[in-house]
Amino acid sequence: MSVLFETSLGDLVIDLETEACPKTCENFLKLCKVYYYNLNAFFNVSKDFLAQVGDPTATGQGGESVWSHIASQSSKSSSVPRYFAPEIQPKLKHTTKGTVSMAVAPSVEGSPEGGCGSQFFVTLADNIEYLDGKHAVFGHIVEGLDTLDKLNDVFMDQDCRPFKDVRIRHVVILDDPFPDPPGLVVPEAPPVKPLDNSTRIAEDEDPLETLPEDEEERIRREKAAAASALTLEMVGDLPFANVRPPENVLFVCKLNPVTRDEDLELIFSRFGTIMSCQVIRDKKTGDSLQYAFIEFDKREDAEQAYFKMQNVLVDDRRIWVDFSQSVARENKGWSNDIKRAPKYSRNGGGNFAGREDLVKTRRYRQDEEDGYGRESKYGMVFDVPDSGSRRRSRERDSKRRRSRSRSPKRGSDRDRDRRDRERTRDYDSRRRDEDYRQRHR
């Protein structure tokens, strides 16, 4: 006498011991006939031990015998016990993999020997002597041992329940020698929805299987970016993980060392109002680090400048323009640790991209001496709450710089430009000499 179980991992064919355990087999077959096991989930899977099923609630506390089920359908549950006495045969033991046994409750309704309802389990290994004499063996798996191997390898939580539901989809009775008990009502169709309202991954659900390849890659990149942002927040490099850089600030690099703030501001001002423009310089020598940050008043102006100024020739150098990835403006709680600045400068040998908040320049030091503070020139980089007096000071500085740009250069500016030209000329001369020696070697 056999029963076919169609599970979400494969088929299982159970051969029943109807002669040795007639009552247990009759209970099992009649429960199969009324679709009692359909859509039941394996709620207890212990690797290399057993897999338990047969509880519609998937909690381990539910389930009843077929006679109790019939009585509950006819409102006579009080007169019929929930369980029946187990048929434990000494000759039937858990010696082979795929042994099917009824789970015996330790104590039911005052019965010290316990009882059997609808829950049963299948062994996943050989020679499990611990179960002998405690649970009633009534069948063996004769086909589908590869399905048991898949069931043995599922991922489980701390309560030994699979993260992804493994369910009995359908039950087919191949042979039933027992007559139906009185009052047995067979439903017209099997159930189509699980009874336990599981919050696990559905047995027929694979979240990534139906997604296109590019969508899977996008999800993977988003998860990786979120993990990296959380790490940077933990080490203190980001104020919070979901911080976003400003959309109206451009990062300009590959500048000529002679390019000044006023030059970039004049070139980029044709795209819109510029709030600030700073060429970042070394804190010790004051030499240009050949990159700058330009803050526009509107995001649309920054986008237009990004598309129009890419790879444009400025002072005999083709510049590179991109949107700034700095979040110094959002990180008001950070302290400007000037001691770490050389580590992120070009001379320090580190990566200074995105860490302009740690660079303190000669002009910034001059602003400190003037009493204007860090917000006078590097308000975008060193973000400090603005005030009326400081804003007026910044406006005076801006007017002073514009007036200087129209007037002849002062001595200090001429000397700085002369040094830059001499430095560039000497470098070009050394390069030509080296090329000549290489060609005539």
Side-chain angles (χ1 to χ4, degrees):
M1 313 309 168
S2 303
V3 176
L4 171 63
F5 276 26
E6 298 176 2
T7 72
S8 56
L9 296 180
D11 295 343
L12 296 173
V13 178
I14 304 175
D15 192 8
L16 302 178
E17 300 286 348
T18 55
E19 295 182 359
C21 308
K23 190 171 185 179
T24 304
C25 293
E26 179 184 4
N27 173 72
F28 182 75
L29 287 170
K30 300 311 174 183
L31 287 176
C32 293
K33 192 171 185 178
V34 298
Y35 307 117
Y36 193 85
Y37 292 124
N38 283 54
L39 299 181
N40 278 202
F42 286 84
F43 60 88
N44 180 20
V45 180
S46 300
K47 188 175 180 61
D48 297 328
F49 187 48
L50 59 83
Q52 190 173 354
V53 70
D55 180 5
T57 64
T59 61
Q61 305 296 325
E64 57 185 349
S65 66
V66 66
W67 300 280
S68 176
H69 176 72
I70 295 173
S72 63
Q73 297 294 325
S74 59
S75 303
K76 297 180 180 179
S77 58
S78 59
S79 60
V80 179
R82 180 181 178 185
Y83 301 107
F84 64 94
E87 295 178 315
I88 299 178
Q89 300 294 337
K91 64 178 182 179
L92 298 178
K93 298 183 179 181
H94 304 81
T95 55
T96 59
K97 176 182 177 181
T99 301
V100 184
S101 298
M102 294 298 295
V104 178
S107 178
V108 179
E109 298 180 1
S111 178
E113 67 275 7
C116 300
S118 62
Q119 297 185 29
F120 66 95
F121 61 85
V122 182
T123 59
L124 302 177
D126 297 329
N127 299 321
I128 305 180
E129 300 178 356
Y130 168 78
L131 301 175
D132 294 341
K134 298 180 180 180
H135 299 276
V137 177
F138 69 97
H140 299 83
I141 301 292
V142 294
E143 294 183 19
L145 294 179
D146 55 338
T147 303
L148 292 184
D149 294 335
K150 296 178 182 178
L151 184 60
N152 190 41
D153 294 334
V154 298
F155 293 99
M156 299 161 290
D157 59 11
Q158 65 274 12
D159 297 326
C160 295
R161 177 161 182 182
F163 286 108
K164 183 177 181 180
D165 281 335
V166 180
R167 294 186 179 275
I168 299 174
R169 292 179 176 176
H170 189 57
V171 180
V172 178
I173 300 176
L174 303 179
D175 189 9
D176 183 7
F178 303 101
D180 292 344
L184 183 67
V185 178
V186 180
E188 296 181 358
V192 295
K193 183 179 180 181
L195 301 178
D196 60 334
N197 297 323
S198 175
T199 57
R200 304 292 171 122
I201 301 175
E203 50 90 12
D204 57 349
E205 177 186 1
D206 190 349
L208 297 180
E209 184 178 8
T210 58
L211 295 178
E213 184 177 354
D214 54 348
E215 187 70 13
E216 293 183 15
E217 181 66 16
R218 183 187 64 81
I219 294 177
R220 187 190 65 80
R221 289 180 179 273
E222 288 180 355
K223 292 182 178 179
S228 301
L230 184 60
T231 303
L232 293 177
E233 179 185 1
M234 295 173 62
V235 300
D237 279 355
L238 287 179
F240 51 92
N242 295 328
V243 65
R244 296 182 60 183
E247 298 180 349
N248 61 330
V249 180
L250 293 181
F251 170 75
V252 184
C253 62
K254 297 184 179 180
L255 295 174
N256 193 309
V258 301
T259 303
R260 300 175 302 172
D261 301 348
E262 295 82 358
D263 302 334
L264 283 180
E265 185 174 0
L266 179 62
I267 295 173
F268 280 83
S269 61
R270 66 189 183 95
F271 300 103
T273 304
I274 295 180
M275 305 301 295
S276 61
C277 178
Q278 300 95 16
V279 175
I280 307 303
R281 300 181 178 275
D282 186 84
K283 80 179 191 92
K284 292 184 178 180
T285 63
D287 295 335
S288 172
L289 297 180
Q290 302 177 18
Y291 72 99
F293 291 90
I294 303 175
E295 181 182 7
F296 285 86
D297 184 28
K298 298 179 180 179
R299 178 175 58 88
E300 294 79 8
D301 300 339
E303 292 179 353
Q304 186 179 5
Y306 167 76
F307 290 112
K308 296 293 185 180
M309 296 301 296
Q310 188 66 264
N311 211 27
V312 171
L313 195 66
V314 176
D315 291 338
D316 297 330
R317 292 287 184 89
R318 294 199 177 275
I319 63 174
W320 181 265
V321 182
D322 200 350
F323 284 92
S324 173
Q325 299 301 310
S326 172
V327 293
R329 173 181 291 277
E330 305 296 335
N331 197 5
K332 299 180 183 296
W334 287 357
S335 61
N336 298 307
D337 191 357
I338 305 304
K339 297 180 180 180
R340 294 192 299 168
K343 178 180 178 181
Y344 297 97
S345 66
R346 185 179 296 275
N347 293 338
N351 180 15
F352 54 79
R355 299 306 300 266
E356 69 278 2
D357 54 322
L358 299 179
V359 179
K360 185 177 180 183
T361 65
R362 179 177 61 184
R363 183 169 298 180
Y364 169 64
R365 292 198 301 270
Q366 182 63 37
D367 290 338
E368 280 186 328
E369 295 175 1
D370 295 341
Y372 301 141
R374 67 183 109 176
E375 66 274 21
S376 63
K377 181 63 180 176
Y378 287 94
M380 178 190 66
V381 180
F382 302 94
D383 195 2
V384 174
D386 200 359
S387 62
S389 60
R390 292 171 177 173
R391 185 171 59 254
R392 288 191 294 272
S393 300
R394 186 166 61 252
E395 293 173 355
R396 289 196 300 269
D397 291 343
S398 178
K399 294 179 180 178
R400 188 181 301 114
R401 286 194 300 271
R402 287 196 296 269
S403 63
R404 290 173 182 173
S405 62
R406 302 188 187 96
S407 60
K409 296 182 178 180
R410 296 188 302 175
S412 59
D413 294 336
R414 289 195 299 271
D415 294 339
R416 184 179 62 187
D417 294 344
R418 179 178 54 80
R419 287 195 302 270
D420 291 337
R421 288 194 299 270
E422 291 175 355
R423 188 183 299 108
T424 304
R425 185 169 58 253
D426 294 340
Y427 173 79
D428 294 337
S429 177
R430 289 195 301 270
R431 186 174 61 181
R432 287 194 298 270
D433 295 341
E434 182 66 20
D435 293 340
Y436 179 83
R437 287 195 294 271
Q438 292 291 340
R439 288 194 301 269
H440 296 80
R441 179 175 296 177

